[in-house]
Amino acid sequence: METDVCIIEPVIRTKDPDLVSRKSRPEGTVVNVNGIPIGSQEIVVMAGPCAVENEEQLSETARNVRAGGASMLRGGAFKPRTSPYSFQGLGMEGLEMLGRAREKTGMPVVTEVMDTRQVENVARYADMLQIGSRNMQNFPLLKEVGQISKPVLLKRGMMATIDEYLHAAEYLLSHGNTQVVLCERGIRTFETSTRYTLDLNAIPILKQRTHLPVIVDPSHGTGIRSLVSPMAKAAVAAGADGLLIEVHYSPEKALCDGSQSLYPEEFALLMEDLRKLAAAIGRGIHTL
Ligand code: PEP
Ligand code: MN
């Protein structure tokens, strides 16, 4: 006799866009940045100054983070600043400095592109193009960067929901660029004790809903130097595939985000802790 079987479907709040959906690639994506795999068992640490300021600042800081164990160098040449009177970055000159620091240290470089007109130049010097929080929904930029073949670091908009974030990533994939890494960098909440609220929930949520690698930026996520290491460790414990950390060889001299930048010695200590933590959860820290 046939019985009526009531099949209860799980409630799906929203349908994730096809290309980024975990369903389309259950095994996960590993993004290759000039030989460095992001999204593998090994956690990738990218570190460096907020902004490229001058040759000495960049080369010293790059040397420091390389010695501490970073695999990639970060640093903005084009800076999105709240005030038009703040240091806007060195532009092309900054890109050239990043190119030299890459040669000297062997670390691939990630740097921000803010405008469609900068894509060609930034892609010439960078190993990975960063799309910042303020540009997460800059659709012309997403379409343009979607058409190049370099890996992309797409940061979460400070006021973007996970759905909006996944749709922004879908723009890149649907325009042909599948080499996309996501980065949780803190969201706006009612809390004023920190610059942003680092949304640790986003790590497992994103890992479940998309096949793209997920890294975390505890520097912008907290805005406070003493909170960076604890939150970096929390991010790794929660399953992050990498970290983006601001380090400055002399934070008090920084033209941008000095108060959230680690001293080189702090960074080195953090890396030691991260190596132990990674081992405890069956992962490792990528080394060059
Ligand atoms: C940065 O990483 O340099 C930066 C500007 O971060 P965000 O876009 O997350 O504010
Ligand atoms: Mn910064």
Side-chain angles (χ1 to χ4, degrees), residues 51-53 76 79 81 83 85-90 255-256:
V52 178
E53 299 170 3
K79 292 303 301 177
R81 301 305 301 278
S83 166
Y85 307 119
S86 300
F87 175 58
Q88 302 284 309
L90 297 179
L255 297 179
C256 184

Side-chain angles (χ1 to χ4, degrees), residues 218 224-234 262 266-267 270 274:
I224 300 169
R225 182 179 306 121
S226 64
L227 302 185
V228 171
S229 292
M231 296 313 283
K233 292 179 222 172
L262 294 185
E266 289 176 302
F267 176 71
L270 169 62
L274 290 175

Side-chain angles (χ1 to χ4, degrees), residues 52-111:
V52 178
E53 299 170 3
N54 56 61
E55 197 80 51
E56 178 188 310
Q57 173 251 13
L58 185 66
S59 60
E60 269 307 291
T61 308
R63 199 179 56 76
N64 288 322
V65 300
R66 172 82 168 86
S71 294
M72 284 179 62
L73 178 64
R74 65 145 289 145
F78 296 100
K79 292 303 301 177
R81 301 305 301 278
T82 299
S83 166
Y85 307 119
S86 300
F87 175 58
Q88 302 284 309
L90 297 179
M92 283 305 297
E93 217 190 324
L95 291 179
E96 287 162 16
M97 289 178 191
L98 284 166
R100 287 193 285 275
R102 189 231 269 115
E103 291 312 306
K104 256 197 257 173
T105 60
M107 286 187 288
V109 161
V110 56
T111 193

Side-chain angles (χ1 to χ4, degrees), residues 8-9 20 51 61 118 155 158 168 172 195-196 203 222 229 233 236 243 287:
I8 301 169
E9 290 284 335
V20 300
T61 308
Q118 297 161 353
K155 298 190 83 174
M158 62 184 79
L172 294 166
R195 187 176 178 187
Y196 297 98
I203 305 163
T222 62
S229 292
K233 292 179 222 172
V236 167
L243 293 166
T287 47

Side-chain angles (χ1 to χ4, degrees), residues 1 10 21 48 62-63 86 104 121 158 168 170-171 182 186 190-191 194 197 199 205-206 221 224 242 254-255 270 282:
M1 198 181 85
S21 170
R63 199 179 56 76
S86 300
K104 256 197 257 173
N121 280 329
M158 62 184 79
E170 186 81 1
Y171 265 88
L182 302 178
F190 57 82
E191 183 55 71
T194 47
T197 296
D199 183 12
I205 295 172
L206 289 169
I224 300 169
L255 297 179
L270 169 62

